[in-house]
Amino acid sequence: MSHQLLALGAVITVTVLLLLASPIANATTVALCYLLVVLYVARGLTRAAAITASVTSVVAFNFFFLPPTGTFTISDPLNWVALASFMLVALTVSQLSARAKRQTAEAQAQGTEARRLYSELQAAFDREAETEAARRSERLKSALLDAVTHNLRTPITSIKASTTALLSASPGNLTDEVRSELLTVANEEADRLDLLVGDLIGFARIEAGEIGLHLAWCSLEDVIGSAVRRAERMTRAHTIEVSIPPELPLVRADARSLEEVCFQLLENATKYSPPGTTISIAAQASGDDFVEFSVADEGPGVPAAERARIFDKFYRAPATRAAASGTGLGLAIVLGIVGAHSGGVVAADRPGRTGARFVVRIPIGDEDGK
């Protein structure tokens, strides 16, 4: 009822204004003004209010503005046509406006429902993602535990056996040659254990996003040289060839991290290439913005189907698992460090010969660290 009273008040207000302006207002102007009232009432209020505005507008139009004014009598037949047309238009406008308003309300309700369903679906996806992340985390923990258990047990067992033999043997029962051999085994297995722990620490830092790069201008020749010297013990059964052009530009990078990349690739090459073979390291400029270096071996190579997956943590190609032990973390560490430098690393064949070739591409950078 309040909406109908508001509609009636709007018609009365417009009627008063039109009467005041009657000297300059004709029938067409009056009809348009009443139609606007009906339209706004229909749009803002209820359907009943719109009908009330339509009927009262027709009555007011007839009584005040169609001759003879002040009566409900219409003398001119054309005015009957005008009044009927006005009434039809007013009712049509009110109904159309009411329908549009209803459809708008329905669309808003549908939009609200759609947003609610989307939110519920998103929440379901989030829960599923969290569940899948938890499952993956458990699988990673299990894989890490298996890898650590297996790879720690082997060197520890060897170290324990060597030291036990040394400690339990009576003086004079061990020759100098045997004693030296046992000490060598213990020393080598301790180095192996140290490498494994270093890989685990490096992997943990990468997973935690804690690779703190200290960017500075450095020579790739110096970085590679440091990595080769660090890997001397593990590469002594191989020949190391290094080819670096003297005009190779400096790079703005973290020298220690790049040394770790080269060291991991050297360790990987020694694992999968037979003793007595050559491991080649080469570097060159790649356009104006990048330099790249590669580590190539004479092992069995990496099957094309495995080249993308070998950089995944804990993954080891089935064809090479029996060739050497490992955790499957070395290449994942390489990918993490190179990625932190906004670079890239790929595995490829050696052109015209057997073996694997890993190519690392690093941006030269500038003083702003870009």
Side-chain angles (χ1 to χ4, degrees):
M1 180 63 70
S2 60
H3 286 177
Q4 291 170 284
L5 290 176
L6 287 173
L8 183 60
V11 173
I12 292 172
T13 301
V14 170
T15 301
V16 171
L17 294 175
L18 289 172
L19 287 172
L20 293 174
S22 58
I24 59 173
N26 55 31
T28 302
T29 303
V30 172
L32 288 175
C33 290
Y34 279 126
L35 281 176
L36 287 175
V37 172
V38 172
L39 179 60
Y40 280 107
V41 169
R43 181 174 178 81
L45 302 177
T46 62
R47 182 180 179 184
I51 294 174
T52 298
S54 300
V55 173
T56 53
S57 294
V58 169
V59 172
F61 187 26
N62 179 19
F63 189 81
F64 292 105
F65 299 101
L66 289 180
T69 59
T71 69
F72 292 106
T73 302
I74 300 176
S75 58
D76 189 344
L78 291 178
N79 287 339
W80 278 106
V81 175
L83 184 63
S85 299
F86 172 79
M87 187 170 184
L88 178 62
V89 171
L91 290 173
T92 302
V93 167
S94 66
Q95 296 225 0
L96 290 175
S97 182
R99 181 184 300 175
K101 183 180 178 182
R102 184 174 64 253
Q103 290 175 344
T104 301
E106 291 174 355
Q108 290 175 345
Q110 291 174 352
T112 301
E113 180 66 11
R115 285 191 295 272
R116 184 185 67 80
L117 292 175
Y118 175 79
S119 298
E120 291 181 358
L121 185 61
Q122 185 64 43
F125 281 144
D126 290 342
R127 288 193 297 270
E128 181 63 24
E130 290 175 0
T131 303
E132 178 61 23
R135 285 197 293 263
R136 290 185 62 188
S137 177
E138 288 301 318
R139 288 197 296 268
L140 286 176
K141 288 178 182 177
S142 177
L144 178 60
L145 183 60
D146 291 343
V148 170
T149 300
H150 174 74
N151 289 280
L152 286 178
R153 183 179 290 137
T154 302
I156 289 175
T157 300
S158 299
I159 293 171
K160 181 65 176 177
S162 298
T163 54
T164 299
L166 289 169
L167 292 172
S168 61
S170 300
N173 286 351
L174 294 179
T175 64
D176 290 342
E177 183 179 355
V178 172
R179 187 182 302 276
S180 176
E181 183 177 347
L182 290 173
L183 288 172
T184 299
V185 169
N187 187 52
E188 289 178 348
E189 293 302 318
D191 289 340
R192 180 179 171 188
L193 192 60
D194 181 62
L195 289 174
L196 174 61
V197 172
D199 284 353
L200 293 173
I201 293 174
F203 171 72
R205 289 177 58 206
I206 291 173
E207 284 289 284
E210 295 178 355
I211 304 180
L213 298 181
H214 301 286
L215 301 180
W217 291 109
C218 58
S219 165
L220 206 55
E221 182 177 8
D222 293 341
V223 169
I224 292 173
S226 296
V228 170
R229 287 190 294 273
R230 178 180 164 193
E232 279 180 353
R233 187 182 297 275
M234 71 172 68
T235 60
R236 62 190 173 200
H238 298 78
T239 300
I240 305 297
E241 291 182 352
V242 179
S243 175
I244 301 176
E247 68 275 8
L248 191 69
L250 300 177
V251 293
R252 186 169 175 79
D254 186 324
R256 292 185 61 184
S257 295
L258 288 188
E259 178 189 326
E260 181 66 24
V261 168
C262 188
F263 176 82
Q264 290 289 347
L265 293 178
L266 281 170
E267 181 186 12
N268 187 75
T270 58
K271 284 181 181 179
Y272 299 107
S273 57
T277 57
T278 299
I279 298 174
S280 302
I281 306 174
Q284 63 181 10
S286 178
D288 295 332
D289 300 323
F290 290 86
V291 296
E292 63 182 35
F293 67 90
S294 62
V295 177
D297 59 54
E298 297 178 353
V302 182
E306 303 290 335
R307 289 174 189 168
R309 297 194 62 190
I310 59 174
F311 293 98
D312 293 344
K313 44 187 172 288
F314 305 119
Y315 183 80
R316 300 178 66 213
T320 59
R321 287 177 187 169
S325 62
T327 60
L329 291 177
L331 293 179
I333 292 172
V334 168
L335 181 64
I337 294 175
V338 173
H341 282 83
S342 300
V345 56
V346 295
D349 288 327
R350 298 190 69 180
R353 57 193 304 182
T354 61
R357 180 171 178 261
F358 290 86
V359 182
V360 177
R361 196 164 184 257
I362 299 292
I364 294 174
D366 53 33
E367 290 294 346
D368 296 327
K370 297 180 181 179

